[in-house]
Amino acid sequence: MNLRRLDAYFRRLVEEGLLPGAVVLVARGGEVVFRGVYGYLDPGRGLPMREDALFRLYSMTKPWVSALALSFVEEGTLSLLDPVEKYLPEFSRLRVGREVGEGIVYEPLKRPLTVYDLLRHTAGLTYGVFFRSPVKGLYLEAGVDRFDLSREVFLERLAALPLRFQPGETFEYGLATDLLGHLLEALAGRSLAELLEERLFRPLGMKDSGFQAKDPARLAQPFPKDPETGHSLRLLPVETPPPRYAGGMGGVGTAADYLAFLEALRLGRGLLSPTMAGFMVQDHLGSLYPEALKRGPEYLPGPGYSFGLGVAVRVEPMGYSPGALGEWTWAGFGGTFFFVDPLQEITALYLAQAPNLLSVLEPEKALHSRLGARLQHAFRTLVYLGLE
């Protein structure tokens, strides 16, 4: 592969002050064919980026927890059809808050919330910080998006909030994976950190991955202020143990560790069987996908992508960048991204600490920012151009 244009692109982003630093890995057929280390580990102190830098992964923690859940399904101790209330009884009293204009009409659930709903984000759980709506406003008021809540307080507050949609009827990206992680804790009687270490990190040799930076001196830092908005940047505090293990946003790791995880899923080896790994990365929205697209920017997988169990899955040739049917992908708010193309045997990722605040402050503008989603689409495009 010829990835000189990819290399030049990341160098230019650093030179223009849009990106503090990054580590980029591209593998083909299991062999690393490109390795790039750019910019600064800590731009405030002028420390150069290093290949073994630790990054806050934010939503790229979600595929970890999704794969972990499927390992319990594979051994028969968990079913996708299990109701959430079986493990967390406080969720037996959930209601749906149907939004009518600026008001909310409360309705009973048509059926219980299931593990399957949590995995494919059809649970009706939302985030308060992304976009605006009456139900999202309740999530903001309750503070459930915050990182500093204990497990007990988080579950108590979340169980008291309405779902935005009926379970199974709409893709709604939100706190489903956080709830899934705590469900697994209840199932196994152990912390999410212990479960991931035992079933994921140790078997795959992911020695730097977890919910705390094992060597804070290697922790990558963002610019003090967002280059586009001018707002101050503060990322998750991962130097000390967290108040709860947030399965949807709390992970820390290196590019090499995350590549090992992606390769294990691509090959169905060392974590899940080939059958279960393939099941995770296939389309699980089906007929819901065309309806989800009508929601515009709120549908985060974007045009051409449906959703599997913890990752977006390409189901149409149409999209913002080249790609093959069956490709699977996801990203993290802190500036991280990956995609895997099983047909071409490509696994590619970049890790940076460059959150795009427009995705929170003005989400309708995020796709058109100078960085934001443009970086993800440019990355995928340049990797595919390297095949020529």
Side-chain angles (χ1 to χ4, degrees), residues 7 39 66 77 96 120 187 216 254 256 258 266 270 279 286 297 340 343:
D7 179 63
S66 301
T77 54
V96 172
R120 65 178 189 153
L187 166 69
T254 62
Y258 211 90
R266 183 180 71 85
F279 180 66
V340 178
L343 184 63

Side-chain angles (χ1 to χ4, degrees), residues 84-161:
V84 171
E85 62 194 65
K86 175 181 178 180
Y87 306 98
L88 299 169
E90 58 266 48
F91 286 84
S92 64
R93 300 179 295 275
L94 287 172
R95 297 180 296 170
V96 172
R98 182 165 57 87
E99 296 171 338
V100 181
E102 294 302 312
I104 298 174
V105 177
Y106 291 96
E107 300 175 343
L109 268 63
K110 295 178 181 178
R111 65 160 176 79
L113 186 64
T114 66
V115 172
Y116 188 48
D117 291 320
L118 298 181
L119 278 162
R120 65 178 189 153
H121 286 272
T122 56
L125 294 163
T126 190
Y127 279 126
V129 294
F130 298 109
F131 303 96
R132 299 291 178 263
S133 83
V135 170
K136 285 176 175 289
L138 296 180
Y139 278 62
L140 273 180
E141 291 174 15
V144 287
D145 293 338
R146 286 163 43 185
F147 185 69
D148 58 353
L149 302 180
S150 68
R151 179 183 187 274
E152 293 71 25
V153 171
F154 171 79
L155 290 175
E156 178 185 2
R157 292 187 185 182
L158 188 62
L161 289 167

Side-chain angles (χ1 to χ4, degrees), residues 275-309:
T275 296
M276 191 60 75
F279 180 66
M280 177 176 170
V281 300
Q282 71 185 43
D283 172 22
H284 283 269
L285 293 187
S287 62
L288 295 181
Y289 165 66
E291 290 301 312
L293 269 180
K294 295 176 184 177
R295 300 182 62 205
E298 279 200 48
Y299 181 63
L300 293 182
Y305 288 86
S306 186
F307 204 78
L309 303 180

Side-chain angles (χ1 to χ4, degrees), residues 174-347:
L175 290 161
T177 312
D178 284 61
L179 183 55
L180 177 63
H182 294 316
L183 182 151
L184 296 177
E185 291 177 324
L187 166 69
R190 303 177 65 190
S191 75
L192 184 60
E194 292 173 317
L195 294 173
L196 284 168
E197 178 65 29
E198 176 185 293
R199 290 174 175 248
L200 196 89
F201 303 150
R202 195 180 304 139
L204 299 182
M206 298 167 63
K207 59 185 177 62
D208 285 315
S209 297
F211 288 95
Q212 181 181 349
K214 297 181 179 179
D215 181 4
R218 290 192 280 135
L219 186 61
Q221 303 294 350
F223 289 126
K225 292 186 177 182
D226 186 300
E228 291 186 280
T229 66
H231 288 270
S232 296
L233 288 171
R234 292 181 61 192
L235 300 184
L236 296 178
V238 294
E239 295 84 354
T240 56
R244 71 179 178 93
Y245 296 112
M249 64 176 176
V252 182
T254 62
D257 274 9
Y258 211 90
L259 179 68
F261 167 66
L262 295 176
E263 282 290 279
L265 278 184
R266 183 180 71 85
L267 297 170
R269 187 168 63 202
L271 173 60
L272 298 173
S273 67
T275 296
M276 191 60 75
F279 180 66
M280 177 176 170
V281 300
Q282 71 185 43
D283 172 22
H284 283 269
L285 293 187
S287 62
L288 295 181
Y289 165 66
E291 290 301 312
L293 269 180
K294 295 176 184 177
R295 300 182 62 205
E298 279 200 48
Y299 181 63
L300 293 182
Y305 288 86
S306 186
F307 204 78
L309 303 180
V311 295
V313 182
R314 189 149 189 162
V315 293
E316 293 180 358
M318 180 189 75
Y320 293 123
S321 52
L325 300 183
E327 172 215 313
W328 42 279
T329 179
W330 206 238
F333 172 75
T336 59
F337 175 75
F338 74 82
F339 77 90
V340 178
D341 181 339
L343 184 63
Q344 304 270 12
E345 297 186 321
I346 293 173
T347 304

